[in-house]
Amino acid sequence: MAGEAKKKADAPAAPAAKKDETPKGEKPKGKGLLSKTPVLLGGVMLLEAVVLFAGFKFMNRGPHTAAGADLVAEGETSHGEGEGEGKTGDKKGAVELPVVEFRAPNKQSGRTFLYDVAIYAVAKGPNADKVKTSLKDRERTVQDRIRTIIAQSDPEKLGGGSEPGLETLRRQVKHQLDEICGEGMVDEVLVPRCIPFRADY
């Protein structure tokens, strides 16, 4: 037996099978996976497309209506009243009284601008008549004080980048109106228009 084992060990080894050769009747193992990959990717992409399409259809159910503000023609209040000396604004009896509508110069930036300005004062109930009378009696004084405020103001604070709400202008005009009409008579100052125009060309 020991002799037989030696003979087997001395016998030439059988040649190794080539990698490409497969025994008859067996299919190659590596090629099946590569041929299925594009089909699998195509199926996954088709499934994603179906899911996205169904999601967009489900989420987008047509145009939606948006709530907006009621439009009021110029010269009317929200209650349909015509233009008058004063307009009632709310249930507490607040009245909007015109203070000035004019153009005032400003040269603070080195260039001359004319500001087209409209300013209104809001007064409530019994104060409205007193404010209206004071504004009419001292009309030129009011115009002079507001023109001075605009001429001395920084253009950035007259509707520029730093104060789009014109807070400084409103506060200064209210201070002047309190001196002219009486402290506490004017509740609020409205500036519906403050438009700069270049005057030096």
Side-chain angles (χ1 to χ4, degrees):
M1 294 219 225
E4 284 181 27
K6 232 181 197 185
K7 286 182 185 179
K8 287 183 183 177
D10 291 340
K18 293 181 182 178
K19 291 183 181 178
D20 293 341
E21 292 179 9
T22 56
K24 291 182 181 179
E26 291 184 21
K27 295 182 178 177
K29 295 179 181 177
K31 292 182 180 177
L33 180 63
L34 290 178
S35 65
K36 292 179 183 176
T37 303
V39 173
L40 289 174
L41 286 176
V44 169
M45 290 173 63
L46 184 64
L47 181 64
E48 284 180 357
V50 168
V51 169
L52 287 173
F53 180 75
F56 284 129
K57 278 293 192 185
F58 178 72
M59 296 296 258
N60 186 14
R61 297 183 180 172
H64 301 285
T65 58
D70 293 332
L71 297 177
V72 178
E74 191 172 327
E76 292 184 357
T77 64
S78 59
H79 303 292
E81 298 170 3
E83 178 120 18
E85 288 294 315
K87 302 178 200 175
T88 58
D90 59 11
K91 296 177 183 176
K92 298 177 184 176
V95 178
E96 297 174 1
L97 301 167
V99 178
V100 292
E101 288 191 37
F102 70 140
R103 290 187 178 184
N106 180 298
K107 295 182 181 183
Q108 293 297 316
S109 66
R111 297 179 178 156
T112 303
F113 285 93
L114 283 177
Y115 284 86
D116 185 16
V117 179
I119 297 176
Y120 289 79
V122 177
K124 291 184 182 171
N127 294 340
D129 290 332
K130 295 175 186 174
V131 171
K132 184 177 171 183
T133 304
S134 296
L135 290 175
K136 190 167 186 156
D137 291 345
R138 305 208 41 207
E139 180 179 359
R140 301 296 175 217
T141 303
V142 171
Q143 286 180 355
D144 176 63
R145 301 276 173 90
I146 293 175
R147 188 212 56 80
T148 303
I149 290 170
I150 291 172
Q152 293 175 345
S153 294
D154 180 12
E156 284 292 313
K157 295 184 178 179
L158 291 173
S162 66
E163 285 190 16
L166 303 169
E167 291 85 7
T168 302
L169 178 62
R170 291 173 195 257
R171 186 177 62 251
Q172 290 176 342
V173 170
K174 184 172 184 322
H175 175 74
Q176 292 299 325
L177 292 178
D178 283 344
E179 285 187 2
I180 293 169
C181 300
E183 189 71 34
M185 301 293 277
V186 174
D187 294 332
E188 185 181 4
V189 172
L190 306 175
V191 185
R193 187 174 72 237
C194 183
I195 304 168
F197 294 99
R198 284 283 301 272
D200 55 349
Y201 286 104

